[in-house]
Amino acid sequence: MNFLDVDLPSELIIFKNNIETSIKQFVEIKAKAENSLHLWQSKFGGFPYFPKGMEYPKDVNGQPMYLLAQINFAEIPSIAKFPTTGILQFYISNSGDVYGVCFDDLGKQDGFTVLYFPEVSEDESKLVTDFSFLPKPEMLPFENSCSLTFSVKHAPMSVGDYQFESVILGKSIPESKDELYKVYDIYEDTIQATGHKVGGYPYFTQSDPRHNKTYKDKKYVLLFQMDTDDEVGIMWGDCGVANFFILEEDLEKKDFSKVLYNWDCC
């Protein structure tokens, strides 16, 4: 079945087979600013689902971190290799001006962490409900808590993906730089990778960090992407985007302990 839902410009027809072969499912996320959210509900910002008796995540300075996003897989359409139940959470530090990322080591969890709860209880007596211990927000990329809605989409590899030339252009890569840049520009205009999502292909305002020799020989795939969203008050630096990556084998094992976190902006 062909899920390519755009008409390719003539300049891209030569790559049509590679483009169609690269198509992946992903879950598109739409956010709406909202305050009255259940603790176990999928959300951006707000208070997390957190069982009593567990140690709340803290950054390297010992400060409690803030919930960036929470995905309850029971609420989203299922896609291959991703869980169908449980809650996945992304926390980032409120300290400093880089939203908890370590650009020298994207897996270093001094200022972020990812938690997964395979079993979910909706009994609030078993959950933390008082979050008055959280510090006053000072440096976060979001202003509001948001409810989320989900839909399954399909899209081919994005132009920013570090494998773009080998997978999409392949043996038909233009010989001149001018022609190559033209193909890049046309492809980017035709096939978008922006927006919030689970799975699929990433979008970058700069470049794919997986091209770094530290990561490129490993099969890191997009786990979650949160984009700038003016409508709900999400802003990564100067109109940037955040990406979380996971090894394919870790995703299949539901092991979220070694996730990479990166964000960039214009």
Side-chain angles (χ1 to χ4, degrees):
M1 185 177 294
N2 180 12
F3 291 103
L4 188 62
D5 59 359
V6 297
D7 294 325
L8 293 178
S10 58
E11 294 88 348
L12 300 182
I13 293 298
I14 190 175
F15 310 112
K16 183 178 180 180
N17 184 63
N18 291 347
I19 291 171
E20 291 179 345
T21 302
S22 75
I23 289 174
K24 276 186 181 181
Q25 275 189 328
F26 68 97
V27 175
E28 180 183 71
I29 303 173
K30 295 294 185 182
K32 178 183 178 182
E34 191 172 343
N35 291 321
S36 300
L37 303 174
H38 294 300
L39 291 172
W40 50 83
Q41 185 174 344
S42 297
K43 63 185 74 174
F44 289 166
F47 296 132
Y49 172 91
F50 208 83
K52 289 180 178 178
M54 290 187 60
E55 184 177 358
Y56 189 85
K58 298 178 180 179
D59 65 20
V60 69
N61 298 313
Q63 294 298 307
M65 292 191 275
Y66 273 85
L67 181 70
L68 174 69
Q70 176 169 291
I71 305 296
N72 186 332
F73 284 103
E75 299 175 350
I76 79 172
S78 61
I79 56 174
K81 299 184 180 179
F82 281 76
T84 55
T85 59
I87 285 179
L88 184 65
Q89 299 174 333
F90 303 84
Y91 292 84
I92 61 171
S93 175
N94 181 48
S95 305
D97 58 359
V98 293
Y99 309 135
V101 73
C102 176
F103 291 112
D104 291 331
D105 182 355
L106 301 181
K108 190 174 184 179
Q109 297 192 16
D110 284 354
F112 86 97
T113 197
V114 180
L115 300 181
Y116 177 62
F117 298 95
E119 304 293 333
V120 178
S121 171
E122 296 184 3
D123 181 352
E124 288 198 5
S125 68
K126 298 180 180 180
L127 305 176
V128 175
T129 57
D130 180 4
F131 293 92
S132 59
F133 61 87
L134 289 173
K136 181 179 178 181
E138 295 178 358
M139 184 59 67
L140 294 170
F142 56 88
E143 298 175 0
N144 310 295
S145 59
C146 297
S147 61
L148 308 178
T149 55
F150 308 95
S151 56
V152 172
K153 301 287 185 179
H154 299 80
M157 182 172 285
S158 55
V159 72
D161 193 291
Y162 77 103
Q163 299 179 95
F164 176 77
E165 287 193 11
S166 61
V167 172
I168 301 298
L169 304 188
K171 296 180 180 180
S172 301
I173 185 170
E175 293 183 3
S176 76
K177 287 187 177 180
D178 287 344
E179 287 298 315
L180 178 60
Y181 294 154
K182 181 180 179 181
V183 168
Y184 266 83
D185 290 341
I186 293 172
Y187 193 99
E188 186 170 24
D189 289 341
T190 305
I191 296 171
Q192 304 295 317
T194 55
H196 316 303
K197 65 180 72 175
V198 171
Y201 292 104
Y203 164 70
F204 307 99
T205 62
Q206 298 293 332
S207 61
D208 191 338
R210 295 173 299 169
H211 189 266
N212 184 296
K213 63 181 180 180
T214 303
Y215 316 115
K216 70 181 301 181
D217 293 330
K218 301 177 181 179
K219 293 184 178 180
Y220 281 101
V221 296
L222 182 66
L223 174 61
F224 168 65
Q225 175 170 292
M226 181 189 277
D227 206 346
T228 286
D229 190 336
D230 291 335
E231 291 187 9
V232 295
I234 298 173
M235 179 65 70
W236 291 93
D238 185 8
C239 293
V241 61
N243 316 100
F244 292 82
F245 299 100
I246 187 170
L247 290 169
E248 284 187 344
E249 60 264 34
D250 286 345
L251 178 59
E252 292 180 359
K253 293 185 295 185
K254 301 182 180 64
D255 178 0
F256 300 96
S257 63
K258 301 184 289 293
V259 168
L260 304 183
Y261 162 45
N262 180 70
W263 68 270
D264 59 25
C265 63
C266 299

Coordinates of all heavy atoms in Angstrom, one line a residue, residues 50-95:
F50 N 2.8 9.8 39.2 CA 4.0 9.4 40.0 C 3.5 8.6 41.2 O 2.9 9.2 42.1 CB 4.8 10.6 40.4 CG 6.3 10.3 40.6 CD1 7.1 10.2 39.5 CD2 6.8 9.9 41.8 CE1 8.5 9.8 39.6 CE2 8.1 9.6 42.0 CZ 8.9 9.5 40.9
P51 N 3.8 7.3 41.3 CA 3.4 6.5 42.4 C 4.1 6.9 43.7 O 5.3 7.3 43.7 CB 3.9 5.1 42.0 CG 3.9 5.1 40.5 CD 4.4 6.5 40.2
K52 N 3.4 6.8 44.8 CA 4.0 7.1 46.1 C 5.1 6.1 46.4 O 5.0 5.0 46.0 CB 2.9 7.1 47.2 CG 1.9 8.2 47.1 CD 0.9 8.1 48.2 CE -0.1 9.3 48.2 NZ -1.2 9.1 49.2
G53 N 6.1 6.6 47.1 CA 7.2 5.7 47.6 C 8.4 5.7 46.6 O 9.4 5.1 47.0
M54 N 8.2 6.3 45.4 CA 9.3 6.3 44.5 C 10.1 7.7 44.7 O 9.5 8.6 45.2 CB 8.9 6.3 43.1 CG 8.3 4.9 42.7 SD 8.0 4.9 40.9 CE 9.6 5.2 40.2
E55 N 11.4 7.7 44.3 CA 12.2 8.9 44.4 C 11.9 9.7 43.2 O 12.1 9.3 42.1 CB 13.6 8.6 44.5 CG 14.5 9.8 44.7 CD 16.0 9.5 44.9 OE1 16.3 8.3 44.9 OE2 16.8 10.5 45.0
Y56 N 11.5 11.0 43.4 CA 11.2 11.9 42.3 C 12.5 12.2 41.6 O 13.5 12.4 42.2 CB 10.5 13.1 42.8 CG 9.9 14.0 41.8 CD1 8.6 13.8 41.2 CD2 10.7 15.1 41.3 CE1 8.1 14.6 40.2 CE2 10.2 15.9 40.2 CZ 8.9 15.6 39.7 OH 8.4 16.4 38.7
P57 N 12.4 12.3 40.2 CA 13.7 12.6 39.5 C 14.2 14.0 39.8 O 13.5 15.0 39.8 CB 13.2 12.5 38.0 CG 11.7 12.6 38.0 CD 11.3 12.1 39.3
K58 N 15.5 14.0 40.0 CA 16.2 15.3 40.2 C 17.4 15.5 39.3 O 18.0 14.5 38.8 CB 16.8 15.3 41.7 CG 15.7 15.2 42.7 CD 16.2 15.2 44.1 CE 15.1 15.1 45.2 NZ 15.6 15.1 46.6
D59 N 17.8 16.7 39.1 CA 18.9 17.0 38.2 C 20.3 16.8 39.0 O 20.3 16.5 40.1 CB 18.8 18.3 37.5 CG 18.9 19.5 38.5 OD1 19.4 19.3 39.6 OD2 18.5 20.6 38.1
V60 N 21.4 17.1 38.3 CA 22.7 16.9 38.9 C 22.9 17.8 40.1 O 23.8 17.5 41.0 CB 23.8 17.1 37.9 CG1 23.9 18.6 37.5 CG2 25.1 16.6 38.3
N61 N 22.1 18.9 40.2 CA 22.3 19.8 41.4 C 21.3 19.4 42.5 O 21.2 20.2 43.5 CB 22.0 21.2 40.9 CG 23.0 21.7 39.9 OD1 24.2 21.5 40.1 ND2 22.6 22.3 38.8
G62 N 20.6 18.3 42.3 CA 19.7 17.9 43.4 C 18.3 18.6 43.3 O 17.5 18.4 44.3
Q63 N 18.0 19.3 42.3 CA 16.8 20.0 42.1 C 15.7 19.1 41.4 O 16.1 18.5 40.4 CB 16.9 21.3 41.4 CG 17.8 22.3 42.1 CD 17.1 22.7 43.4 OE1 16.0 23.1 43.5 NE2 17.9 22.6 44.5
P64 N 14.5 19.1 41.9 CA 13.5 18.3 41.2 C 13.3 18.8 39.7 O 13.3 20.0 39.5 CB 12.2 18.5 42.0 CG 12.7 18.9 43.4 CD 14.0 19.7 43.1
M65 N 13.1 17.9 38.8 CA 12.9 18.3 37.4 C 11.4 18.4 37.1 O 10.6 18.0 37.9 CB 13.6 17.2 36.5 CG 15.1 17.2 36.6 SD 15.9 16.3 35.3 CE 15.9 14.6 36.0
Y66 N 11.1 19.0 36.0 CA 9.8 19.2 35.6 C 9.4 18.2 34.5 O 10.2 17.9 33.6 CB 9.6 20.7 35.1 CG 9.2 21.6 36.1 CD1 10.2 22.2 36.9 CD2 7.9 22.0 36.4 CE1 9.9 23.1 37.9 CE2 7.6 22.9 37.4 CZ 8.6 23.4 38.2 OH 8.3 24.3 39.2
L67 N 8.1 17.9 34.5 CA 7.6 17.0 33.4 C 7.5 17.8 32.1 O 6.8 18.9 32.1 CB 6.2 16.5 33.8 CG 5.5 15.6 32.8 CD1 6.2 14.3 32.7 CD2 4.0 15.4 33.1
L68 N 8.2 17.3 31.1 CA 8.1 17.9 29.8 C 6.9 17.3 29.0 O 6.1 18.0 28.5 CB 9.4 17.7 29.0 CG 9.4 18.1 27.6 CD1 9.4 19.7 27.5 CD2 10.6 17.6 26.8
A69 N 6.8 16.0 29.0 CA 5.7 15.3 28.3 C 5.5 14.0 29.0 O 6.3 13.3 29.5 CB 6.1 15.1 26.9
Q70 N 4.2 13.6 28.8 CA 3.8 12.3 29.3 C 2.9 11.6 28.3 O 1.9 12.2 27.8 CB 3.0 12.5 30.7 CG 2.4 11.2 31.2 CD 1.9 11.4 32.6 OE1 2.7 11.6 33.6 NE2 0.6 11.4 32.8
I71 N 3.2 10.4 27.9 CA 2.5 9.7 26.9 C 1.9 8.4 27.5 O 2.6 7.5 28.0 CB 3.4 9.2 25.7 CG1 4.1 10.5 25.1 CG2 2.5 8.5 24.7 CD1 3.2 11.5 24.5
N72 N 0.6 8.3 27.6 CA -0.1 7.1 28.1 C -0.4 6.3 26.8 O -1.3 6.7 26.0 CB -1.4 7.5 28.8 CG -2.0 6.3 29.4 OD1 -1.9 5.2 28.9 ND2 -2.8 6.5 30.5
F73 N 0.3 5.2 26.6 CA 0.2 4.5 25.4 C -1.2 3.8 25.2 O -1.6 3.5 24.1 CB 1.2 3.4 25.3 CG 2.6 3.9 24.9 CD1 3.6 4.1 25.9 CD2 2.9 4.3 23.6 CE1 4.8 4.6 25.6 CE2 4.1 4.8 23.3 CZ 5.1 5.0 24.3
A74 N -2.0 3.7 26.3 CA -3.4 3.2 26.1 C -4.3 4.2 25.4 O -5.3 3.9 25.0 CB -3.9 2.9 27.5
E75 N -3.8 5.5 25.3 CA -4.6 6.5 24.7 C -4.2 6.8 23.3 O -4.9 7.6 22.6 CB -4.4 7.8 25.5 CG -4.9 7.7 27.0 CD -4.6 9.0 27.8 OE1 -3.9 9.9 27.3 OE2 -5.2 9.1 28.9
I76 N -3.2 6.2 22.8 CA -2.7 6.5 21.5 C -2.8 5.3 20.5 O -2.9 4.2 21.0 CB -1.3 7.1 21.5 CG1 -0.2 5.9 21.6 CG2 -1.0 8.0 22.6 CD1 1.2 6.4 21.4
P77 N -2.9 5.6 19.2 CA -3.0 4.4 18.3 C -1.7 3.6 18.4 O -0.6 4.2 18.6 CB -3.1 5.1 16.9 CG -3.6 6.5 17.2 CD -3.0 6.9 18.5
S78 N -1.8 2.3 18.2 CA -0.6 1.5 18.2 C 0.2 1.6 16.9 O -0.4 1.6 15.8 CB -1.0 0.1 18.5 OG -1.8 -0.5 17.5
I79 N 1.5 1.6 17.1 CA 2.4 1.6 15.9 C 3.5 0.6 16.2 O 3.8 0.3 17.4 CB 3.0 2.9 15.6 CG1 3.8 3.6 16.7 CG2 2.0 3.9 15.0 CD1 4.5 4.8 16.4
A80 N 4.1 0.0 15.2 CA 5.0 -1.1 15.3 C 6.2 -0.8 16.3 O 6.8 0.3 16.2 CB 5.6 -1.5 14.0
K81 N 6.5 -1.7 17.1 CA 7.7 -1.7 18.0 C 7.5 -0.8 19.3 O 8.2 -0.9 20.2 CB 9.0 -1.3 17.3 CG 9.4 -2.2 16.2 CD 10.7 -1.8 15.6 CE 11.1 -2.8 14.4 NZ 12.3 -2.4 13.8
F82 N 6.4 0.0 19.3 CA 6.2 0.9 20.5 C 5.2 0.1 21.4 O 4.4 -0.7 21.0 CB 5.6 2.2 20.0 CG 6.6 3.2 19.5 CD1 7.1 3.0 18.2 CD2 7.1 4.2 20.3 CE1 8.1 3.9 17.7 CE2 8.0 5.1 19.8 CZ 8.5 4.9 18.5
P83 N 5.3 0.5 22.7 CA 4.4 -0.1 23.7 C 2.9 0.2 23.3 O 2.6 1.2 22.7 CB 4.8 0.5 25.0 CG 6.2 1.0 24.8 CD 6.3 1.4 23.4
T84 N 2.1 -0.7 23.8 CA 0.6 -0.4 23.6 C 0.0 -0.1 25.0 O -1.2 0.3 25.0 CB -0.1 -1.7 23.1 OG1 0.2 -2.8 23.9 CG2 0.4 -1.9 21.6
T85 N 0.7 -0.3 26.1 CA 0.2 0.1 27.4 C 1.4 0.8 28.1 O 2.5 0.8 27.7 CB -0.2 -1.1 28.2 OG1 0.9 -2.0 28.3 CG2 -1.4 -1.8 27.5
G86 N 1.1 1.4 29.3 CA 2.1 2.0 30.1 C 2.2 3.5 29.9 O 1.6 4.0 28.9
I87 N 2.9 4.2 30.7 CA 3.1 5.6 30.6 C 4.6 5.9 30.5 O 5.4 5.4 31.3 CB 2.6 6.3 31.9 CG1 1.0 6.4 31.8 CG2 3.1 7.7 32.0 CD1 0.4 7.1 33.0
L88 N 4.9 6.7 29.5 CA 6.3 7.1 29.2 C 6.4 8.6 29.5 O 5.6 9.4 29.1 CB 6.7 6.9 27.8 CG 8.1 7.2 27.3 CD1 9.1 6.2 28.1 CD2 8.2 7.0 25.8
Q89 N 7.4 9.0 30.3 CA 7.6 10.4 30.7 C 8.9 10.9 30.4 O 9.9 10.2 30.5 CB 7.4 10.5 32.3 CG 6.0 10.0 32.8 CD 6.0 10.0 34.3 OE1 7.0 9.8 35.0 NE2 4.8 10.2 34.8
F90 N 9.0 12.2 30.1 CA 10.2 12.9 29.8 C 10.3 14.1 30.8 O 9.4 15.0 30.8 CB 10.2 13.4 28.3 CG 10.0 12.3 27.3 CD1 8.7 11.9 27.0 CD2 11.1 11.8 26.7 CE1 8.6 10.9 26.1 CE2 10.9 10.7 25.8 CZ 9.7 10.3 25.5
Y91 N 11.4 14.1 31.5 CA 11.6 15.2 32.5 C 12.8 16.0 32.1 O 13.8 15.4 31.6 CB 11.8 14.6 33.9 CG 10.7 14.0 34.6 CD1 10.4 12.6 34.3 CD2 9.9 14.7 35.5 CE1 9.3 12.0 34.9 CE2 8.8 14.0 36.1 CZ 8.5 12.7 35.8 OH 7.5 12.1 36.5
I92 N 12.8 17.3 32.3 CA 14.0 18.2 32.1 C 14.2 19.1 33.3 O 13.3 19.4 34.1 CB 13.8 19.0 30.8 CG1 12.6 19.9 30.9 CG2 13.8 18.1 29.6 CD1 12.6 20.9 29.7
S93 N 15.4 19.5 33.4 CA 15.9 20.4 34.5 C 15.3 21.8 34.3 O 15.2 22.3 33.2 CB 17.4 20.4 34.6 OG 17.8 21.4 35.6
N94 N 15.0 22.4 35.4 CA 14.6 23.8 35.4 C 15.8 24.8 35.6 O 15.6 26.0 35.6 CB 13.6 24.0 36.6 CG 13.0 25.4 36.7 OD1 12.6 26.0 35.8 ND2 13.1 25.9 37.9
S95 N 17.0 24.2 35.7 CA 18.2 25.0 36.0 C 18.9 25.3 34.7 O 18.9 24.5 33.8 CB 19.1 24.3 36.9 OG 18.4 23.9 38.1

